[in-house]
Amino acid sequence: MRKIEDIHELRQIQMGILDHVHQFCEAHDLRYFLSSGTLIGAVRHKGYIPWDDDIDIYMPREDYEQFLLSYHDDNGVYRAINPTTESHYYYTFAKVVDQRTRMVETETQGYEIGVYMDIFPVDYVSDDPQERNRVFKQKKLLYKIRRCKISQSNPLQSRLAYWVYKCWPMSVRQIERKLRRLIVLTEPTHTVCNMTEAGPRIKGCFPAEDIAESVDILFENKTYKTMVGYKDYLQRTYGDYMTLPPVEQRVTHQFEAYWKS
């Protein structure tokens, strides 16, 4: 295997994934939105944040689940993976991976994964602050238990809590079914949120009208899609997103990736 040393080479692989997902969604009338740091990069830098090394997109729950059912690559390069189809899958959201590559990550110890792009579902959440708080607290606990059951190392600060959760009398599949009943609302509300573990904070909630439509946005000299209310989403989630963080916070993730052949 040849090691991928250069962040620009890693980004080119990720851009290939994004291009394929974009084309598939356009062909199948599925909605997606550049999100999180990727969206900040698109708005502030017209591409990657200079020290960033990943790509994130949101999909409304309906589109997310249809995407996972139908996504394919005739050339066999790209594959969608998610907790419902992969055993011992550490993450709680989907990824599209380049199967020609291999990523080495502490979180995925014992589970091989390629260079990837993250795909997060966006769900309706209660408009009632008290009910929302209850759901978020329960969700956080369930995600902690799930993480401890799957992880081969202690992801918590407390060793006692880790073993309590590790031995909790509930299987990973049972936890995932309970999580789904908790976070996937069948009736629309006025508020939405990324309810996966990567977005556990109430601060991440924003108005449903922000994702009512998609708009074009430039990223690395190409046109992709994001939510119509992207400025509101970014301001609510990150505050003054146009101001660069202090130099000491501009940290690139340490990655270890390889071409398989």
Side-chain angles (χ1 to χ4, degrees), residues 16 19 59 64 74 81 94 127 129 139-140 146 148 153-154 156 163-164 168-169 193 203 210 214-215 235 237-238 240:
D19 283 341
M59 284 187 178
Y64 175 83
D74 292 337
I81 58 177
D127 295 319
K139 173 175 72 77
K140 185 176 181 179
R146 181 189 183 278
C148 290
S153 58
N154 185 355
L156 305 177
W163 283 109
V164 168
W168 199 274
C193 189
K203 183 181 177 183
D210 283 356
S214 61
V215 294
Q235 195 280 325
T237 307
Y238 300 101
D240 183 11

Side-chain angles (χ1 to χ4, degrees), residues 173-224:
R173 289 298 185 218
Q174 287 175 321
I175 294 170
E176 288 170 349
R177 286 195 291 270
K178 191 173 181 66
L179 275 165
R180 183 177 177 84
R181 290 194 297 270
L182 182 69
I183 70 176
V184 180
L185 300 186
T186 55
E187 295 296 324
T189 66
H190 297 293
T191 311
V192 294
C193 189
N194 163 19
M195 295 292 282
T196 67
E197 189 171 13
R201 295 180 301 165
I202 289 179
K203 183 181 177 183
C205 297
F206 55 100
E209 63 184 12
D210 283 356
I211 61 168
E213 298 176 29
S214 61
V215 294
D216 291 340
I217 193 164
L218 284 176
F219 184 80
E220 296 295 329
N221 298 313
K222 296 182 180 181
T223 301
Y224 300 102

